[in-house]
Amino acid sequence: MKKNICVFCGASEGNRPEYHLAAEQLGMLIANQNRRLIYGGGNKGLMGIIANSVLDHGGEVIGIIPERLVKAETAHHNITRLEVVENMHQRKARLSELADGFIAMPGGTGTLEEVFEVWTGMQIGYHEKPVALYNPAKFWQPMLDFLQHTVDEGFVRDSFYKTLIVSDEPQSILQKIDDFIPKDLQRWVKK
């Protein structure tokens, strides 16, 4: 079982109630399965919802947040452990260091940037940790269509595209993360 699950998600709740519910359900499962949530340390939007859900169900939450966001009063000070770092680069490095696997929920540009960085890191051999898109209300479908276009146009290998885990069910996504075996990855660089 992958214990430390890093979740990237929005600091907003989005426009659909399905996103709120998805964050609550995933948080409950992380706690109930004795996993630990690793996330960006915020108290707003889906970030706050998933952290509170994990805590409400007796789980552990580790948040990593840059000083600038603490000063902007977005830090969640009631989690198991809040680590304050200098900047976003340090935040992402620490999230990646602590995580056994990554899940991107609906979110904005920060979520996109985070998930693409860890997925690219897998491609070039920095890690072999599973990367997943949690897809409530088919949020990620337009991006998946675009990613298939990048495969069709010869910019992404199909074998690498298929390493991306996608599910709209929280139980399924956690199981797929546990079952992930980093085999047959054609890396751009050798280890």
Side-chain angles (χ1 to χ4, degrees):
M1 180 178 79
K2 306 284 192 290
K3 173 85 171 167
N4 293 323
I5 304 298
C6 179
V7 177
F8 305 126
C9 57
S12 297
E13 290 189 33
N15 295 330
R16 296 177 182 259
E18 292 98 318
Y19 305 147
H20 184 119
L21 180 61
E24 287 181 338
Q25 290 175 337
L26 182 57
M28 178 185 69
L29 279 172
I30 288 171
N32 288 347
Q33 293 180 4
N34 199 31
R35 300 175 195 255
R36 182 180 297 116
L37 173 66
I38 311 297
Y39 86 121
N43 64 5
K44 296 183 179 354
L46 297 183
M47 292 176 74
I49 293 167
I50 193 167
N52 289 333
S53 179
V54 171
L55 294 168
D56 290 347
H57 292 91
E60 290 182 67
V61 177
I62 298 173
I64 314 297
I65 193 165
E67 290 174 2
R68 180 174 291 220
L69 294 180
V70 173
K71 292 174 184 175
E73 300 181 356
T74 64
H76 197 316
H77 293 284
N78 297 317
I79 58 177
T80 311
R81 186 169 87 226
L82 182 67
E83 295 183 18
V84 179
V85 295
E86 289 183 25
N87 55 52
M88 294 294 280
H89 299 292
Q90 290 177 353
R91 174 200 230 178
K92 290 183 297 179
R94 185 70 174 135
L95 290 169
S96 186
E97 178 185 336
L98 293 173
D100 295 322
F102 305 92
I103 298 174
M105 290 194 60
T109 56
T111 301
L112 290 169
E113 191 261 343
E114 290 166 329
V115 71
F116 276 110
E117 182 169 320
V118 296
W119 195 39
T120 301
M122 178 200 292
Q123 181 181 37
I124 59 178
Y126 285 114
H127 69 85
E128 295 185 340
K129 300 172 184 180
V131 179
L133 301 176
Y134 183 19
N135 199 23
K138 304 296 181 204
F139 176 82
W140 293 111
Q141 194 57 53
M143 189 180 79
L144 291 167
D145 293 341
F146 175 74
L147 289 173
Q148 183 60 57
H149 175 69
T150 66
V151 172
D152 296 343
E153 294 298 314
F155 290 98
V156 174
R157 292 183 178 130
D158 186 59
S159 61
F160 183 67
Y161 175 62
K162 289 178 179 170
T163 65
L164 191 60
I165 297 166
V166 181
S167 180
D168 60 359
E169 294 293 328
Q171 181 67 44
S172 171
I173 206 161
L174 289 171
Q175 188 61 56
K176 288 177 181 183
I177 282 174
D178 286 344
D179 294 342
F180 179 79
I181 298 172
K183 61 182 179 179
D184 300 327
L185 287 177
Q186 293 180 335
R187 308 254 191 218
W188 290 105
V189 294
K190 295 186 184 215
K191 288 185 179 182

